Amino acid sequence: MVQATPLRISPLLAVQGREHDLDYAPAPWVLKQCAETDIIFLANPPAYEELSETYAYEVTFSKESAARKQAEPIRYAFSTMLKRFRAKVLKRNKVLGILNQLIAASPSARINVLDVGCGWGELLQTLMTSLPPALRSRVAPHGVEISRALSTLSDDKLRPLGGRCVHASAQDGVLRFDEDYFDVIVMASYLEHEASPLEVLENCRKRLKADGTIIVKVPNFACYNRMIRGPRWSGFRWPDHVNYFTPKTLRAIAARAGLDVVRMSALDTTPFSDNMYALLRTSKPAP
């Protein structure tokens, strides 16, 4: 049985505003759009406790992949092949590329990096092995992961590299680090999973150094593929995707959290891609 939390309201509002249902989610899940802020959100997400095991990423990903493979075997095979080609042949990983650039430009003697929703630690492990030795010795990789199984895998990888993985929800896990601690915080394919995205962004802002950066990657609800595919869009995942952002609503939640969007180019938000990207930094007080 699903241990549902009380119905959510728009993560951009303090009190409930006007909402309407969207006909995408299968029962018992309820997808709504806030008429005042446009953000799209799951109104009845699973409780955090359910995300640790019952609805852990590795569980839902396996089920979703099997369902998509059965429903559209040819499309699934082509999509899988294309992803492997990009990763292994083209070696394209936009988040990793941005992360490498930020680390190379950092003046910090110790460069603290946090991956929120780090999964099995693959991104941070790949980052560390890709850095030249002199730069690698300055980087400490940390993670927060709500899945019990994946957090154990990540911790086993990160501790020998001088970091660690905290097993907790992001809302609680981020608080276990000191303020003004991180040079870079990564939220790659994470923010769409978070039932309290504004609070987590605010907590992360407080833990950034003055010149620190947050890297965000989320599915783009405004993409053409979603418009064409409808309920079969790859960005829909039930019930672990609980927020669906557009460039407008991603900017709005960043601003509400006290963060400036310092990069969200046309290439970062192209409607031809299922995903979009942004770089965020702490808002500077007006002169």
Side-chain angles (χ1 to χ4, degrees):
M1 179 180 294
V2 177
Q3 297 178 14
T5 58
L7 287 181
R8 293 172 75 206
I9 64 170
S10 164
L12 287 173
L13 296 178
V15 296
Q16 187 167 9
R18 293 176 295 116
E19 303 169 352
H20 59 267
D21 293 348
L22 296 183
D23 189 22
Y24 287 112
W29 312 112
V30 179
L31 191 68
K32 291 181 177 288
Q33 183 168 26
C34 175
E36 297 170 42
T37 64
D38 287 338
I39 196 166
I40 294 153
F41 59 98
L42 197 66
N44 57 337
Y48 279 130
E49 294 78 8
E50 293 287 307
L51 297 175
S52 181
E53 295 184 7
T54 305
Y55 290 106
Y57 175 81
E58 69 276 15
V59 176
T60 58
F61 179 81
S62 178
K63 290 181 178 178
E64 184 72 17
S65 297
R68 292 182 187 273
K69 183 177 181 179
Q70 182 177 13
E72 299 179 291
I74 296 176
R75 182 183 181 86
Y76 180 85
F78 178 77
S79 177
T80 301
M81 181 181 67
L82 184 60
K83 289 177 182 177
R84 289 175 179 170
F85 177 76
R86 287 174 176 170
K88 294 186 177 181
V89 179
L90 300 181
K91 299 188 183 301
R92 287 171 56 183
N93 185 324
K94 189 167 181 174
V95 170
L96 182 62
I98 295 171
L99 187 51
N100 271 282
Q101 292 172 9
L102 292 172
I103 288 174
S106 175
S108 298
R110 177 182 171 90
I111 305 170
N112 292 309
V113 178
L114 176 65
D115 187 1
V116 182
C118 64
W120 47 86
E122 182 180 17
L123 175 67
L124 291 174
Q125 186 179 50
T126 303
L127 166 70
M128 297 299 285
T129 58
S130 68
L131 294 173
L135 190 54
R136 186 189 313 144
S137 65
R138 294 166 51 202
V139 176
H142 305 275
V144 173
E145 174 55 48
I146 195 169
S147 164
R148 186 179 305 278
L150 296 185
S151 67
T152 299
L153 291 175
S154 289
D155 198 55
D156 289 344
K157 292 176 181 178
L158 299 183
R159 288 205 178 262
L161 299 172
R164 62 180 173 130
C165 178
V166 173
H167 171 231
S169 69
Q171 195 171 18
D172 293 332
V174 169
L175 297 178
R176 300 186 192 178
F177 296 94
D178 294 336
E179 294 190 2
D180 304 314
Y181 186 73
F182 290 108
D183 297 85
V184 186
I185 296 177
V186 181
M187 295 183 170
S189 302
Y190 154 74
L191 207 57
E192 64 270 25
H193 294 262
E194 177 53 57
S196 301
L198 179 58
E199 291 84 352
V200 173
L201 282 169
E202 289 172 336
N203 289 337
C204 285
R205 172 179 55 79
K206 295 174 183 177
R207 277 143 190 85
L208 274 182
K209 294 179 182 177
D211 56 351
T213 304
I214 298 176
I215 305 172
V216 175
K217 172 190 174 184
V218 290
N220 183 3
F221 189 84
C223 72
Y224 293 147
N225 198 28
R226 194 273 306 169
M227 300 175 192
I228 295 169
R229 299 276 293 163
R232 295 179 296 170
W233 178 47
S234 60
F236 287 128
R237 285 189 50 187
W238 316 107
D240 50 339
H241 283 190
V242 301
N243 308 300
Y244 293 91
F245 295 96
T246 64
K248 174 186 174 182
T249 56
L250 185 56
R251 285 183 179 275
I253 199 168
R256 202 67 66 88
L259 294 161
D260 289 332
V261 177
V262 296
R263 172 179 152 179
M264 191 190 284
S265 69
L267 289 177
D268 292 326
T269 59
T270 172
F272 293 100
S273 173
D274 289 320
N275 297 302
M276 61 179 174
Y277 303 80
L279 299 187
L280 313 177
R281 288 184 182 154
T282 302
S283 296
K284 305 300 182 185

